[in-house]
């Protein structure tokens, strides 16, 4: 069973004469441990697809399953719980809480889930230490987002998305606001965590270099899935 599956997914924004068809009849699956990049021109539906797959946006027609669970059939409360337990999300604009320190931002999903954890105690302590080390944030934990560089902020956001060891991580242009070196660090982090934890990563990007980190590329145009490329390289996706 795929980690994530969309079947005949259609999404229309608005109704009547002003309705915008953002996705039309998209069927695609994402295997456990697979790192997929979603590419396509601006306005082709990449963000909409990611948001529908992650249960952050409602679907007009069709089905979205995460580990076999049909998202469109869940109550808001059940969907929130499923997102919390199984999904991590990395946004282009980081979406960190400005009043919290880096460490507090990273721990937020665990706090929301009501679990206790900290660098010195709790069942997740080793994992947390590991995450902080591989993200290179050791000396930055007490800083607030405004005191961190863009690359550091995105590494905090990645650590937050990974802290609860979700089965699926969605990333929407995670390197879109970063210079190429910080971008490479974030992509290295994401791809290492797929290999290490067997996570499924679905990343929207328009950067061929970023797509080169993925196992395959799914190409959208005008809201339809038009091509898939296995083992992409920056040359084959340009
Ligand atoms: P991409 O991520 O590939 O740039 P989007 O998924 O953002 O594409 O957008 C797909 C289409 O849906 C575009 O025509 C866009 O204008 C439209 N769209 C996206 N979000 C909304 C919204 N909230 N309301 C109305 N139309 C939207
Ligand atoms: P609710 O909208 O029911 O309060 P959440 O508290 O789960 O649900 O989500 C609030 C916002 O946090 C969402 O609109 C989304 O932008 C973001 N979000 C949702 N799920 C995640 C996640 N797994 N990781 C990071 N951010 C998320």
């Amino acid at each position: 069973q795929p980690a994530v599956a969309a079947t005949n997914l259609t999404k229309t924004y608005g109704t009547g004469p002003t309705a915008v068809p953002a996705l039309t009849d998209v069927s695609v699956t994402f295997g456990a441990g697979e790192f997929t990049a979603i590419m396509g021109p601006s306005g082709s539906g990449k963000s909409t697809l990611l948001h529908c797959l992650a249960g952050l946006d409602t679907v007009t027609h069709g089905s979205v399953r995460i580990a076999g669970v049909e998202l469109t059939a869940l109550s808001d409360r059940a969907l929130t719980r499923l997102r919390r337990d199984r999904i991590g999300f990395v946004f282009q604009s980081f979406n960190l809480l400005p009043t919290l320190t880096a460490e507090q931002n990273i721990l937020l999903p665990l706090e929301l889930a009501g679990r206790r954890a900290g660098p010195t105690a709790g069942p997740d302590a080793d994992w947390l230490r590991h995450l902080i080390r591989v993200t290179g944030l050791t000396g930055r934990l007490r800083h607030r987002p405004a005191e961190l560089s863009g690359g550091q902020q995105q590494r905090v956001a990645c650590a937050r998305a990974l802290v609860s060891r979700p089965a699926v991580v969605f990333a929407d242009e995670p390197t879109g606001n970063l210079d190429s070196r910080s971008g490479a660090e974030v992509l290295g982090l994401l791809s290492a965590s797929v290999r290490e934890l067997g996570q499924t990563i679905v990343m929207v990007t328009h950067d061929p270099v970023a797509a080169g980190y993925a196992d395959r590329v799914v190409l959208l145009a005008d809201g339809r899935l038009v091509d898939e490329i296995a083992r992409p390289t920056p040359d084959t996706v340009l």
Side-chain angles (χ1 to χ4, degrees), residues 162-183:
L162 297 171
V163 72
S164 58
R165 279 182 267 222
V168 186
V169 176
F170 295 102
D172 195 354
E173 298 265 11
T175 60
N177 285 328
L178 303 180
D179 60 51
S180 58
R181 188 169 141 259
S182 301

Side-chain angles (χ1 to χ4, degrees), residues 56 80 83-84 87-89 91:
L56 297 175
T80 298
R83 285 210 306 261
R84 220 168 258 169
I87 294 176
F89 209 102
F91 300 87

